Amino acid sequence: ILYDVRSLYYLKFLKMFSNMSPPFFPTVSILCCVFILFLFLSELTGFIATEIVNELYVDDPDKNSGGKIDVSLNISLPNLHCDLLGLDIQDEMGRHEVGHIDNSMKIPLNHGTGCRFEGEFTINKVPGNFHVSTHSATAQPQKPDMTHNIHMLTFGDKLQMNKVQGAFNALGGSDKLSSNPLASHDYILKIVPTIYESLSGRKRFSYQYTVANKEYVAYSHTGRIVPAIWFRYDLSPITVKYTERRQPFYRFITTICAIVGGTFTVAGIVDSCIFTASEAWKKIQLGKLS
C-alpha cells in the first residue's frame, strides 16, 4: 500500500511536467540569464563604489607642517563693538600674542553694536589656548557682553563631511546668545589628528576634536574679572586615518566568473532533472498504451 501511495505521488509529479508547454525548458535559461544580470549589476555597483576604511595609530601625521596647525574661526558677538573685540593666542612654548590681526576680518552687526569675527591663524602643536576678548582694546568696557554664536571652528584642511563621519566642526552652530552677558566661556578641546587618503594617494591633514564647556563669572580680590571666550586645547597622541579603497579588478573578474559558472551549473542540474522526469513520464505513457 505504501509503495502504491508513493507511486501515485510520483506519477502526479511527472504529470505536472507533461502538462507544461514546450517553452518551459528555455524558461530555465532565461531565468538564469536574468539572475546572472542581477548579480553582475550588484557586483559592478560594489566595484565602482569607493569604500572608506579607518585605522588608529600613534604618530605625528603631518611632520612637514613645522609643528603648526591651521585654525579657522568664525564667531558672532551681537552685543560687542568691533573696536573692542580681539583675538589673543598663548601656549606652553611661550607664545603670547594679544590682538592678533593677520588674516582676520571684523564685520559690524546690528548697525555697529555687534561684531562678527572671521580669522585664520596657526597654533603650535603644544597645549595652549586662544580666546576672544576685549584685552587688546585701548579702553576696557564696563560691562562687556560675551553672548555669542559660533559658526565655525576647524583645524587643518577642510574635508567633505558627506564622505567621513567625524567631529571636524564640533562647535559649529553653538548658540550662547541666551547666556549671562557678563560670564566667561571655557571650551576645552581635545584635538585628534586625522588623515584622509584618496584613491590617487593624495593625503589631506585635518583634525577632529571633542568639546567640554563651562560658563562662569570670575572674581578676584580686585573685583570681577573681564569675561572672555576661551578655547583651551590639547592634542591627542592617537591619529585617525581614513583611506579610500576600491575592490581590485582581478577580484571583480573572479567573482563574475564564479557567478556565471555557478549559475549555469545549477541550471544544468535543474534542467537535467526536468528532462529526466519528462522522459520517464513519456516511457510510462508508452507502457500504458502498449
Side-chain angles (χ1 to χ4, degrees), residues 89-108:
I89 308 171
Q90 59 188 83
D91 59 37
E92 292 186 359
M93 291 184 66
R95 180 183 183 183
H96 191 179
E97 185 177 350
V98 179
H100 178 86
I101 58 175
D102 295 336
N103 298 321
S104 62
M105 179 172 54
K106 299 178 184 178
I107 305 171

Side-chain angles (χ1 to χ4, degrees), residues 24-257:
F24 175 76
F25 296 107
T27 302
V28 175
S29 300
I30 294 174
L31 291 176
C32 288
C33 292
V34 173
F35 184 67
I36 290 173
L37 179 62
F38 171 74
L39 293 181
F40 172 77
L41 293 177
S42 300
E43 287 296 325
L44 181 62
T45 303
F47 173 72
I48 296 174
T50 302
E51 179 187 11
I52 298 179
V53 181
N54 62 76
E55 57 182 315
L56 304 175
Y57 58 90
V58 179
D59 191 16
D60 179 11
D62 192 8
K63 296 181 175 64
N64 298 323
S65 64
K68 303 288 186 180
I69 299 176
D70 295 327
V71 184
S72 296
L73 176 63
N74 189 331
I75 184 172
S76 295
L77 289 84
N79 301 310
L80 190 65
H81 198 276
C82 284
D83 292 339
L84 302 174
L85 187 63
L87 176 69
D88 310 326
I89 308 171
Q90 59 188 83
D91 59 37
E92 292 186 359
M93 291 184 66
R95 180 183 183 183
H96 191 179
E97 185 177 350
V98 179
H100 178 86
I101 58 175
D102 295 336
N103 298 321
S104 62
M105 179 172 54
K106 299 178 184 178
I107 305 171
L109 300 174
N110 302 332
H111 305 288
T113 60
C115 187
R116 178 168 181 160
F117 178 87
E118 298 180 6
E120 295 183 355
F121 53 96
T122 60
I123 57 175
N124 294 317
K125 290 184 178 180
V126 295
N129 73 79
F130 52 92
H131 51 276
V132 176
S133 67
T134 60
H135 296 164
S136 60
T138 305
Q140 293 296 318
Q142 293 296 321
K143 294 182 178 181
D145 189 335
M146 285 296 163
T147 55
H148 61 277
N149 188 7
I150 302 174
H151 307 288
M152 181 184 68
L153 175 60
T154 59
F155 299 86
D157 297 336
K158 295 179 175 63
L159 301 180
Q160 296 182 8
M161 300 304 174
N162 58 337
K163 288 187 175 182
V164 177
Q165 297 295 328
F168 295 95
N169 186 22
L171 278 174
S174 179
D175 188 343
K176 298 293 182 181
L177 298 178
S178 59
S179 61
N180 185 346
L182 300 178
S184 291
H185 300 266
D186 262 15
Y187 295 100
I188 297 122
L189 315 178
K190 193 68 173 183
I191 301 176
V192 182
T194 304
I195 305 174
Y196 188 89
E197 184 175 350
S198 64
L199 283 174
S200 62
R202 180 192 175 191
K203 293 183 179 180
R204 303 184 67 184
F205 300 93
S206 186
Y207 296 84
Q208 304 181 60
Y209 61 92
T210 58
V211 184
N213 68 286
K214 63 178 179 178
E215 175 185 333
Y216 60 94
V217 178
Y219 291 91
S220 67
H221 62 279
T222 58
R224 179 174 51 81
I225 297 177
V226 177
I229 304 170
W230 298 82
F231 301 91
R232 308 181 192 272
Y233 62 88
D234 192 6
L235 273 78
S236 169
I238 303 296
T239 295
V240 180
K241 184 178 181 181
Y242 297 98
T243 307
E244 288 185 351
R245 291 182 184 174
R246 184 171 289 167
Q247 181 182 355
F249 183 70
Y250 72 86
R251 186 177 297 174
F252 171 70
I253 294 297
T254 303
T255 304
I256 295 302
C257 291

